[in-house]
Amino acid sequence: MSGETMDSSNWILILIVLGVLYLFLKNRKAKKAYLKKVSFIEDEVRELKKEIMCVISSNIYGKEIIKTLGSVKGTSQSIITTDESTRIADNEAMYEMLIEAKILGSNAIVDIKMNTPTFEVNGSKWQTSQIIYTGTAVKVE
């Protein structure tokens, strides 16, 4: 009887180890995909900023605004919990705003404002933040 117990407990232990290994590898793969996405967004923001000037003022020195195209907004998908997540959230929100401006045919965004509203996560009483950028897409020459 003790031999049977030993065999079943060994199988249970093996299954637990395999389960933990599976979860570890799955998490590692998801993290790698997430970091690839983060890198992609950072690169895209860098490239879009070469095409679209971004300023916090109403005017761009040495440029004339020839057409106002409309309001643009970008909201981060990531929630801010650390310095790294702040950088990621900042890039996500900026990327979304720049894409909206590009779709409108803009080559500049003026009056850029950043807001970091705080909210409660699913009734947990935990306060978190995200980043929201707003601005006005314009055409300058």
Side-chain angles (χ1 to χ4, degrees), residues 91-102:
N91 278 308
E92 288 173 345
M94 181 60 70
Y95 175 73
E96 192 174 299
M97 184 178 67
L98 287 164
I99 289 296
E100 279 191 23
K102 185 171 184 162

Side-chain angles (χ1 to χ4, degrees), residues 44 47-52 69-72 94-109 137-139:
E44 287 294 304
E47 289 303 311
L48 286 166
K49 281 186 172 181
K50 291 177 183 176
E51 298 174 35
I52 302 171
L69 302 169
S71 296
V72 289
M94 181 60 70
Y95 175 73
E96 192 174 299
M97 184 178 67
L98 287 164
I99 289 296
E100 279 191 23
K102 185 171 184 162
I103 289 168
L104 292 173
S106 172
N107 62 355
I109 305 172
V138 296
K139 195 79 159 157

Side-chain angles (χ1 to χ4, degrees), residues 105-141:
S106 172
N107 62 355
I109 305 172
V110 296
D111 292 325
I112 294 177
K113 293 177 181 48
M114 182 180 81
N115 192 0
T116 54
T118 302
F119 56 94
E120 189 175 296
V121 178
N122 299 332
S124 68
K125 305 283 188 236
W126 289 15
Q127 296 292 312
T128 59
S129 298
Q130 66 184 146
I131 294 178
I132 299 172
Y133 277 112
T134 57
T136 303
V138 296
K139 195 79 159 157
V140 297
E141 55 175 34

Side-chain angles (χ1 to χ4, degrees), residues 17-100:
V17 168
L18 288 174
V20 169
L21 183 61
Y22 170 77
L23 291 174
F24 172 76
L25 292 173
K26 184 178 175 185
N27 185 37
R28 204 167 106 182
K29 186 177 179 181
K31 185 174 183 178
K32 191 174 183 179
Y34 177 73
L35 292 174
K36 188 175 181 178
K37 177 186 170 193
V38 167
S39 177
F40 170 79
I41 290 174
E42 286 177 341
D43 292 344
E44 287 294 304
V45 166
R46 202 173 303 111
E47 289 303 311
L48 286 166
K49 281 186 172 181
K50 291 177 183 176
E51 298 174 35
I52 302 171
M53 290 181 275
C54 297
V55 297
I56 59 173
S57 66
S58 302
N59 299 308
I60 301 173
Y61 180 76
K63 301 285 184 183
E64 181 183 346
I65 295 174
I66 56 173
K67 187 173 186 181
T68 300
L69 302 169
S71 296
V72 289
K73 177 181 173 183
T75 304
S76 66
Q77 303 303 310
S78 298
I79 295 174
I80 298 171
T81 55
T82 64
D83 287 345
E84 179 67 15
S85 64
T86 301
R87 183 178 65 82
I88 292 166
D90 183 70
N91 278 308
E92 288 173 345
M94 181 60 70
Y95 175 73
E96 192 174 299
M97 184 178 67
L98 287 164
I99 289 296
E100 279 191 23

